[in-house]
Amino acid sequence: MPSEAAPPSAHQPGVARLPAEHEGKRRNWRQVTLLGGLISADNGESSVVSVLFPALRAALGLPLAALGLLVGVGKLVGVVFGPLWVAVAQRYPRKTVLAVCAGLWGVWTIAAGFAQNYTQLLVLFTIAAIGVAGSGPLVNGLLADLFDDRTRGRATGYMYGLSALATGLSGPLLGLLSAVEDGWRYGFFLAGGIQVLFGVLILLFLRDPGVGASEEHAGAAAPTERALTWSQARRLLRNRSLLLICVQRLTTGQFVVLSFGVTFLVDVRGFGNAEASYLTVVFAVTYFAGTLLGGLATDAIHRRNPRTGRVAAMQFTVFAYALGAWAVTQVAWSSHGAYLALFAVLAFLQGCTPGINRPLVMSVTLPEARSAAFALMLSAEAAGWALTTVLVGYIGDAFGLEAAFLWVVVVLMLVNGALLSLLYRACPRDASAVHAELALRAAAAGVGGK
């Protein structure tokens, strides 16, 4: 048993440990930059379809509903394959699985550029989306292990902000390809090549901190058995907060605006494809601002009101988004700049979302179950994305995009915001249960706080 006169060691708290801790934090932020770049790369094939759909539609003779089906089916596969990639990553190194599914799988995105008809494009696009389905839950699980609850909002906002900024700035470059014969093919080639590049970078530079590494009682954060079991799945399905967040993601209409935004400006407001593609830059810059400022703000709100602060912040952004969506899609403005300004407001509000709902999920689930929880949440999100984009495509063909936006975005977001009221009771209860469980594990294992 150590005595009070024992010499200082690297394992005892003290000044000598601070430089290593500081370097560890800096290294964690570098990991976030790498993960943000990976997410951006994984958004590449969706960006090609969303930005270049007017050109793609002309080349292959497609109806508007084809855009909804491409985006919808691409997201729907995540409902099945997101959890499957998590199961694989719980049996093999997360780093390796992430590099394969979110990076090297980009060869299928490249293959989509060789499609000769809509059927081939749909099949290859869907196969490419199978790999991308694993990136969301695995990346969010890693992020929870890199940062503690006080800084997760800022870290999540930074990661998703970098991703959106890179994705949006590439929009005008993709828009220029609309003037090139078969330019949409080059878009897929470029997107797939970047995915493969990031797969290699993940293998070389990503550091997995280990499950539960950021928790207060890190040594007792996760049990030895990490495999995804039916028992674990049943526990997640009994988590009321997680289920309500899943319902919220299933019924959100936010994703429709970016997927159909360029086509809306071209078909409904009469802008050219290249001109409308600048929407992605405005969207990216203001989304990035929303992730950074929103993450900082919600972390501060959480510190002042740790019980329900994040829930209130999320509900506010949802209702504000519904109002902004009405203004940008239901009112005919006289200038291109007015649309860009209003889309910027929507992007800012949407950018606040990851810094709110990701930390909420992390706070109500145990460390070893977080990747599975994110797989469940992102599966619901993917299903909602698929459903809303398909609906907008078909309603847009029948009644016009303006009417489709009214019902699938504005009205649905109002319902969505009302549903969030149920989280005011559920989240504090489930977060307290997680904290109590970790404390019990620490006491049983004789592990002190950090």
Side-chain angles (χ1 to χ4, degrees):
M1 183 175 185
S3 68
E4 292 181 355
S9 74
H11 300 287
Q12 292 178 314
V15 177
R17 188 179 171 185
L18 293 178
E21 290 182 345
H22 180 67
E23 176 58 30
K25 291 178 180 178
R26 290 179 58 188
R27 184 168 57 245
N28 287 350
W29 285 105
R30 290 196 293 268
Q31 301 294 304
V32 172
T33 302
L34 179 59
L35 293 174
L38 177 68
I39 292 176
S40 174
D42 286 343
N43 288 334
E45 78 278 7
S46 295
S47 296
V48 172
V49 170
S50 297
V51 173
L52 289 175
F53 183 75
L56 182 61
R57 175 175 56 186
L60 298 181
L62 305 179
L64 179 62
L67 174 57
L69 284 174
L70 279 170
V71 176
V73 172
K75 298 300 177 183
L76 196 58
V77 296
V79 175
V80 176
F81 288 96
L84 286 180
W85 283 117
V86 170
V88 173
Q90 289 174 332
R91 289 162 175 81
Y92 301 96
R94 282 192 293 186
K95 172 180 175 176
T96 303
V97 176
L98 185 62
V100 171
C101 72
L104 304 181
W105 202 271
V107 295
W108 290 104
T109 302
I110 295 173
F114 292 103
Q116 298 301 307
N117 53 53
Y118 177 61
T119 300
Q120 292 180 11
L121 177 63
L122 182 61
V123 170
L124 292 170
F125 187 84
T126 302
I127 294 174
I130 288 173
V132 173
S135 66
L138 294 179
V139 165
N140 281 284
L142 280 163
L143 193 71
D145 295 329
L146 289 167
F147 295 90
D148 61 24
D149 190 51
R150 292 174 60 86
T151 56
R152 283 172 182 160
R154 181 159 58 104
T156 304
Y158 177 64
M159 182 179 73
Y160 279 93
L162 283 177
S163 169
L165 190 62
T167 300
L169 293 178
S170 67
L173 298 178
L174 291 174
L176 293 175
L177 292 176
S178 64
V180 178
E181 184 178 1
D182 286 336
W184 61 273
R185 297 187 187 276
Y186 299 115
F188 280 117
F189 297 156
L190 179 62
I194 294 174
Q195 281 179 270
V196 172
L197 173 62
F198 268 92
V200 175
L201 293 176
I202 289 293
L203 286 174
L204 293 176
F205 301 112
L206 182 66
R207 180 187 65 86
D208 188 339
V211 174
S214 66
E215 299 302 326
E216 181 181 0
H217 306 292
T224 302
E225 178 59 52
R226 286 181 53 204
L228 182 63
T229 63
W230 284 112
S231 176
Q232 185 187 73
R234 285 195 297 271
R235 284 198 299 273
L236 286 175
L237 292 174
R238 289 196 297 267
N239 187 315
R240 190 181 179 196
S241 296
L242 179 61
L243 288 180
L244 287 172
I245 292 171
C246 287
V247 171
Q248 191 269 333
R249 300 316 289 163
L250 181 65
T251 58
T252 184
Q254 288 180 326
F255 306 113
V256 171
V257 173
L258 184 57
S259 296
F260 284 87
V262 173
T263 302
F264 173 82
L265 291 179
V266 172
D267 287 3
V268 181
R269 302 308 184 209
F271 297 104
N273 195 169
E275 183 183 15
S277 69
Y278 280 94
L279 168 65
T280 64
V281 178
V282 173
F283 202 97
V285 172
T286 49
Y287 184 98
F288 179 65
T291 58
L292 292 184
L293 297 178
L296 288 170
T298 53
D299 274 349
I301 292 170
H302 174 68
R303 287 192 290 270
R304 291 176 64 88
N305 182 6
R307 288 179 56 81
T308 58
R310 284 182 175 137
V311 177
M314 184 155 63
Q315 190 172 48
F316 170 80
T317 61
V318 169
F319 282 131
Y321 192 95
L323 177 61
W326 175 84
V328 76
T329 64
Q330 304 304 305
V331 179
W333 300 92
S334 59
S335 70
H336 187 221
Y339 286 104
L340 294 184
L342 288 169
F343 272 114
V345 172
L346 293 184
F348 182 89
L349 293 169
Q350 188 171 344
C352 295
T353 302
I356 303 173
N357 64 12
R358 268 62 170 180
L360 270 177
V361 172
M362 295 170 192
S363 70
V364 299
T365 52
L366 292 167
E368 69 275 10
R370 281 175 187 150
S371 287
F374 278 114
L376 183 62
M377 187 196 84
L378 294 174
S379 292
E381 184 175 285
W385 196 330
L387 177 63
T388 53
T389 51
V390 170
L391 279 175
V392 166
Y394 281 107
I395 295 174
D397 274 336
F399 304 103
L401 271 179
E402 193 169 331
F405 275 133
L406 174 63
W407 291 102
V408 183
V409 181
V410 179
V411 174
L412 188 60
M413 289 298 287
L414 291 173
V415 174
N416 188 282
L419 285 173
L420 288 174
S421 299
L422 299 175
L423 285 174
Y424 284 106
R425 292 186 63 186
C427 279
R429 182 195 63 192
D430 292 330
S432 296
V434 169
H435 183 77
E437 172 66 19
L438 292 178
L440 285 173
R441 290 182 186 178
V447 177
K450 287 182 182 177

